[in-house]
């Protein structure tokens, strides 16, 4: 309970004051939402949220996600007031300044208590589905004595308008995520003005139709908010929406309830008026001792729950306790590497001609049984992406232990939910769709990379090789577009062995998301097994040696064309080495000596081939280089006809090399 010497309204006003003052000092920011939702946040943190500010990463803490990330001062104020060590008063005073923990929108990793990077509206709501899914899956595995927490979200009108928000809402309702509670800041204001300018939907009916438990309260009535949250916590089979009717910029004498408080400082006169109206007669950033002490007691209240949890964890059997700790750390067990090595040896002996999407499934068939952390899924393309394996059961309301998610045609929410799972910890999410639809979930892929989290995107049908579905489904610009995202590994394997190695890379990359670009069409096995993961170097000489004056460089399905072109050149007396280049990013990370060995010196003739546009290849081609690939969109026909039609052939590669050799 709160300190009786500090009234709940005074505690909420502390949040309002800090938000007003920090935004004013920075001359930039969004004071309106923190001022409007301060009462709701005070109820949540003081009466319900399970956390211990002294142990911010306690695994069984409740997760609080500020989906309306523009109101970041709400979160920063709460973290400071409750005693998170790295959210000092000085950090609040450095709000939105270079190098501060208090960025304009919450950034994961900048400070303890920031569970996810929010800013693009709706992303936090999408993440929350993943947080709640991970909690449910882990609770089924380890029991409610050690996994027993809620996911709370504060979302605004913008989060509900964004498409990713709607995808997340319907997915959460379908799965019956009963430990997900969304507090909707129903203030009726957006940047342009009243939300009535752009929307007239009934959000409460919308959530009800999606299978949610729905309540509506006065967001400035602490008792009503308390009753609503308590009721939501007792609903076990549905996620909950609590629509909190609030006044944006609550307390501002002339600007409250208007768009003027959304994204601009209030100004000194308005802040003075707000202080008077709220009865907050204190200097900027000054919090009375009674209020501050009450907030700090709230931050310490969770210590007893954490200590009890520690005893519960210790009471687990030794094997379960070790497994829980391993999964929280994100370690990959040795059995995974052993399974992949055995798989590679088997493939090297049998030399199958598989599409790399099938190679991926076959690799997962040996990975998933020895890596219980994986949670797979697909955006309604399970049979095409080949993401489901024999040991994975589908997740549903009835089977809450299922490790396979049928995301439906919700590519964006799938990616956002996978981010939430990765951030929650204890699971490793992967999910599939067609590569062309990376456009539909690119904002979430970008956030995976920005946050530096292990999310694996299985993107199949990666080129014109998918054939008859035509140019709308044939990705041509997507490889260079994905490679443009910092800290994203784009992995395009050439055969089953490279595919297994790329899976190993993705699983072992704790701080980097990965995209596996996989084919629809069958490809020959072009590699031997070997002990080393050659794909981990990004590129390597597959055929020939480093003395050859010509390099034929390719990725994925075009590696076989480079090998055939090498044979054509050999007939002309021209020596060429074939370089398989599954990952630009990993190759760029190698030292100069290795890169020079693979690509040759400055005078080396280099011809690259990829069934995509050539943007970016100039980085690797040097002064004597050529690119064989796409110059526009594809067409509808069989794959073999398309490659010939667009001039992506072994002869075209060889001819480009001959021309440069003259």
């Amino acid at each position: 309970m709160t300190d009786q010497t500090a009234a709940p309204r005074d505690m909420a006003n502390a949040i309002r004051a800090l938000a007003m003052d920090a935004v004013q000092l920075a001359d930039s920011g969004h004071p309106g939402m923190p001022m409007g939702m301060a009462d709701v946040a005070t109820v949540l943190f003081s009466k319900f949220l399970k956390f211990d500010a002294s142990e911010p990463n306690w695994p069984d803490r409740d997760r609080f996600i500020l989906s309306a990330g523009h109101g970041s001062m709400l979160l920063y104020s709460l973290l400071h007031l409750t005693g998170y060590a790295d959210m000092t008063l000085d950090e609040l005073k450095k709000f939105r300044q270079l190098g501060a923990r208090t960025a304009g929108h919450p950034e994961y990793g900048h400070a303890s208590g920031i569970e996810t990077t929010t800013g693009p509206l709706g992303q936090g709501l999408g993440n929350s589905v993943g947080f709640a899914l991970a909690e449910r899956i882990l609770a089924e595995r380890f029991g409610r004595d050690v996994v027993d927490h809620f996911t709370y979200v504060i979302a605004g009108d913008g989060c509900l308008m964004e498409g990713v928000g709607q995808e997340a809402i319907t997915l959460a309702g379908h799965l019956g995520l009963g430990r997900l509670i969304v507090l909707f800041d129903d203030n009726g204001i957006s940047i342009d003005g009243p939300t009535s300018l752009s929307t007239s939907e009934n959000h409460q009916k919308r959530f009800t139709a999606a299978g949610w438990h729905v309540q509506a309260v006065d967001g400035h009535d602490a008792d009503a908010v308390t009753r609503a949250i308590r009721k939501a916590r007792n609903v076990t089979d549905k996620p909950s929406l609590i629509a909190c009717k609030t006044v944006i910029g609550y307390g501002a004498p002339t600007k409250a309830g208007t768009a003027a408080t959304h994204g601009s400082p209030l100004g000194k006169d308005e802040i003075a008026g707000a202080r008077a109206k709220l009865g907050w007669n204190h200097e900027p950033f000054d919090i009375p001792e009674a209020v501050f002490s009450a907030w700090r007691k709230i931050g310490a209240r969770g210590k007893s729950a954490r200590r009890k949890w520690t005893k519960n964890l210790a009471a687990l059997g030794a094997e379960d306790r070790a497994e829980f700790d391993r999964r929280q750390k994100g370690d990959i067990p040795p059995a995974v590497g052993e399974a992949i090595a055995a798989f590679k040896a088997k493939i090297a002996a049998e030399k199958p001609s598989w599409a790399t999407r099938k190679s991926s499934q076959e690799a997962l068939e040996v990975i998933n049984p020895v890596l219980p952390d994986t949670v797979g899924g697909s955006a309604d393309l399970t049979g095409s992406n080949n993401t489901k394996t024999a040991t994975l059961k589908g997740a549903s309301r009835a089977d809450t232990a299922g490790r396979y998610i049928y995301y439906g045609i919700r590519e964006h929410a799938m990616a956002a939910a996978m981010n939430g799972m990765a951030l929650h910890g204890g699971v490793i999410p992967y999910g599939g769709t067609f590569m062309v639809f990376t456009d539909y979930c690119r904002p979430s892929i970008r956030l995976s990379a920005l946050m530096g989290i292990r999310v694996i995107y299985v993107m199949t049908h990666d080129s014109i090789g998918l054939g008859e579905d035509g140019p709308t489904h044939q990705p041509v610009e997507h490889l260079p577009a994905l490679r443009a995202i910092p800290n994203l590994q784009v992995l395009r394997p050439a055969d089953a062995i490279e595919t297994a190695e790329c899976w190993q890379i993705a699983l072992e990359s704790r701080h980097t998301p990965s995209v596996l670009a996989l084919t629809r069409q069958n490809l020959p096995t072009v590699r031997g097994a070997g002990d080393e993961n050659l794909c981990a170097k990004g590129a390597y000489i597959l055929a020939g040696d480093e003395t050859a004056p010509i390099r034929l460089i390719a990725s994925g399905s075009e590696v076989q064309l480079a090998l055939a072109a090498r044979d054509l050149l050999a007939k002309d007396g021209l020596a060429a080495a074939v370089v398989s280049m599954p990952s630009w990013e990993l190759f760029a990370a190698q030292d100069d000596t290795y890169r020079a060995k693979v690509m040759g010196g400055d005078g080396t003739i280099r011809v690259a081939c990829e069934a995509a546009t050539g943007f970016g290849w100039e980085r690797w081609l040097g002064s004597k280089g050529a690119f064989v690939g796409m110059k526009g969109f594809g067409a509808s026909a069989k794959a073999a006809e398309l490659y010939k039609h667009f001039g992506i052939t072994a002869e075209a590669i060889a001819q480009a090399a001959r021309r440069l050799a003259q």
Side-chain angles (χ1 to χ4, degrees):
M1 297 296 293
T2 60
D3 190 319
Q4 295 303 308
T5 61
R9 181 53 59 91
D10 287 336
M11 297 179 69
N13 285 341
I15 297 171
R16 294 186 174 103
L18 290 173
M20 290 189 297
D21 295 340
V23 170
Q24 187 66 28
L25 183 61
D27 195 26
S28 175
H30 300 76
M33 192 282 272
M35 296 173 72
M37 285 297 281
D39 294 312
V40 174
T42 298
V43 170
L44 175 63
F45 272 67
S46 65
K47 296 185 177 181
F48 296 102
L49 196 73
K50 182 175 68 171
F51 71 106
D52 179 358
S54 68
E55 291 287 344
N57 297 320
W58 169 29
D60 201 37
R61 68 192 181 279
D62 287 340
R63 294 339 194 246
F64 172 64
I65 299 169
L66 186 66
S67 189
H70 56 278
S72 56
M73 271 307 304
L74 176 74
L75 177 56
Y76 300 152
S77 298
L78 288 163
L79 296 179
H80 170 65
L81 290 167
T82 54
Y84 283 76
D86 54 4
M87 191 56 68
T88 63
L89 189 61
D90 284 342
E91 290 294 341
L92 299 189
K93 292 179 178 179
K94 292 189 292 185
F95 178 55
R96 287 188 164 227
Q97 305 308 304
L98 183 64
R101 298 182 186 276
T102 47
H105 294 81
E107 300 288 346
Y108 173 72
H110 280 205
S112 301
I114 300 175
E115 301 285 3
T116 180
T117 293
T118 53
L121 292 175
Q123 286 292 333
L125 189 55
N127 294 164
S128 73
V129 176
F131 276 98
L133 267 170
E135 193 272 348
R136 189 166 78 174
I137 291 168
L138 290 170
E140 287 289 342
R141 169 61 181 85
F142 294 102
R144 284 291 176 198
D145 284 343
V146 292
V147 183
D148 185 19
H149 53 267
F150 286 83
T151 300
Y152 295 96
V153 183
I154 285 183
D157 292 285
C159 297
L160 304 192
M161 289 187 200
E162 287 284 2
V164 66
Q166 174 63 8
E167 291 183 24
I169 291 162
T170 57
L171 179 60
H174 173 72
L175 291 171
L177 298 177
R179 286 174 172 258
L180 173 59
I181 299 175
V182 174
L183 302 159
F184 167 36
D185 179 18
D186 186 10
N187 61 42
I189 296 293
S190 63
I191 293 175
D192 279 351
T195 53
S196 59
L197 292 171
S198 57
T199 183
S200 55
E201 65 188 311
N202 185 315
H203 290 303
Q204 294 174 43
K205 290 183 178 179
R206 173 184 167 201
F207 274 80
T208 299
W212 287 57
H213 177 258
V214 176
Q215 302 174 77
V217 298
D218 177 352
H220 301 298
D221 182 338
D223 290 339
V225 174
T226 300
R227 289 192 297 270
I229 296 176
R230 184 173 292 124
K231 188 173 183 179
R233 285 167 56 94
N234 288 327
V235 176
T236 59
D237 61 342
K238 294 180 179 181
S240 290
L241 173 77
I242 303 173
C244 304
K245 194 64 181 175
T246 62
V247 177
I248 190 171
Y250 183 92
T254 68
K255 295 182 179 181
T258 72
T261 69
H262 173 84
S264 300
L266 296 181
K268 292 182 179 179
D269 291 343
E270 189 76 6
I271 289 176
R275 277 184 153 78
K277 188 171 182 178
L278 295 169
W280 188 262
N281 301 312
H282 309 286
E283 293 299 312
F285 296 102
D286 180 26
I287 306 298
E289 180 57 35
V291 174
F292 196 70
S293 175
W295 271 116
R296 287 298 165 100
K297 287 180 180 178
I298 290 167
R301 186 193 60 218
K303 286 183 184 295
S304 59
R306 179 177 57 80
R307 288 168 182 153
K308 180 180 178 182
W309 174 85
T310 301
K311 292 179 181 178
N312 290 344
L313 180 65
L316 284 181
E319 185 176 333
D320 283 347
R321 188 168 64 252
E323 176 67 2
F324 183 87
D325 289 342
R326 179 194 68 76
R327 291 175 66 163
Q328 289 298 315
K329 292 175 184 175
D331 293 342
I332 301 297
V336 173
E338 295 164 3
I340 290 174
F343 175 80
K344 287 168 59 179
K346 181 174 181 288
I347 295 302
E350 296 176 357
K351 300 187 183 307
S353 292
W354 288 339
T356 50
R357 61 171 175 160
K358 177 174 174 56
S359 299
S360 172
Q361 183 179 37
E362 294 293 332
L364 285 169
E365 291 285 5
V366 303
I367 291 169
N368 283 336
V370 295
L371 186 62
D373 318 43
T374 52
V375 177
S378 171
D380 200 50
L381 289 167
T382 294
S384 294
N385 300 146
N386 293 351
T387 42
K388 190 174 187 300
T389 60
T391 59
L392 297 191
K393 296 188 297 180
S396 66
R397 287 172 177 266
D399 189 348
T400 55
R403 286 169 53 199
Y404 190 82
I405 315 300
Y406 291 101
Y407 287 103
I409 307 169
R410 302 183 183 96
E411 296 91 351
H412 201 174
M414 175 182 73
M418 289 198 295
N419 282 345
M421 281 188 267
L423 290 163
H424 180 280
V427 297
I428 300 174
Y430 71 86
T433 185
F434 288 168
M435 189 167 172
V436 75
F437 299 134
T438 54
D439 284 344
Y440 280 15
C441 55
R442 185 181 176 88
S444 293
I445 297 175
R446 181 177 185 267
L447 287 173
S448 303
L450 179 62
M451 290 188 279
I453 54 179
R454 179 168 46 193
V455 178
I456 303 171
Y457 297 94
V458 182
M459 298 302 178
T460 69
H461 297 59
D462 69 347
S463 74
I464 60 169
L466 69 88
E468 293 88 340
D469 275 347
T472 59
H473 283 55
Q474 292 168 3
V476 293
E477 77 276 27
H478 296 71
L479 279 170
L482 290 166
R483 287 167 177 157
I485 298 176
N487 195 44
L488 177 66
Q489 288 180 158
V490 181
L491 305 166
R492 191 167 186 249
D495 66 0
I497 289 176
E498 282 200 356
T499 301
E501 291 185 347
C502 287
W503 263 110
Q504 186 171 24
I505 292 164
L507 290 169
E508 292 177 353
S509 298
R510 296 191 190 195
H511 305 295
T512 310
S514 300
V515 171
L516 273 67
L518 306 173
T519 69
R520 180 196 183 205
Q521 72 272 34
N522 291 337
L523 303 178
T525 299
V526 297
R527 264 278 306 278
D531 295 331
E532 186 179 4
N533 187 327
L534 296 177
C535 289
K537 292 184 176 296
Y540 62 94
I541 296 176
L542 174 63
D545 60 54
E546 59 190 272
T547 64
I550 299 172
R551 293 292 190 276
L552 307 179
I553 312 161
S555 74
S557 47
E558 288 68 66
V559 170
Q560 62 177 321
L561 300 181
L563 289 167
R566 177 175 180 265
D567 293 340
L568 293 175
L569 291 172
K571 294 177 181 178
D572 299 333
L574 295 172
V578 173
V579 174
S580 178
M581 194 172 190
S583 173
W584 288 17
E585 299 78 24
L586 292 173
F587 186 63
Q590 305 307 310
D591 60 39
D592 293 342
T593 300
Y594 180 77
R595 290 201 304 269
K597 174 184 175 182
V598 172
M599 291 296 183
D602 290 339
T604 302
I605 294 168
R606 299 172 189 165
V607 180
C609 180
E610 204 165 57
T613 57
F615 186 81
W617 269 106
E618 60 275 3
R619 177 182 185 184
W620 308 112
L621 292 179
S623 59
K624 297 185 70 175
F627 176 75
V628 176
M630 295 296 292
K631 297 179 176 61
F633 294 110
S636 180
K638 293 186 182 301
E641 295 177 31
L642 290 171
Y643 272 83
K644 184 177 180 180
H645 174 75
F646 289 109
I648 304 175
T649 64
E651 179 53 43
I653 298 170
Q655 185 56 35
R658 293 186 194 107
R659 186 171 61 252
L660 291 170
Q662 291 177 352

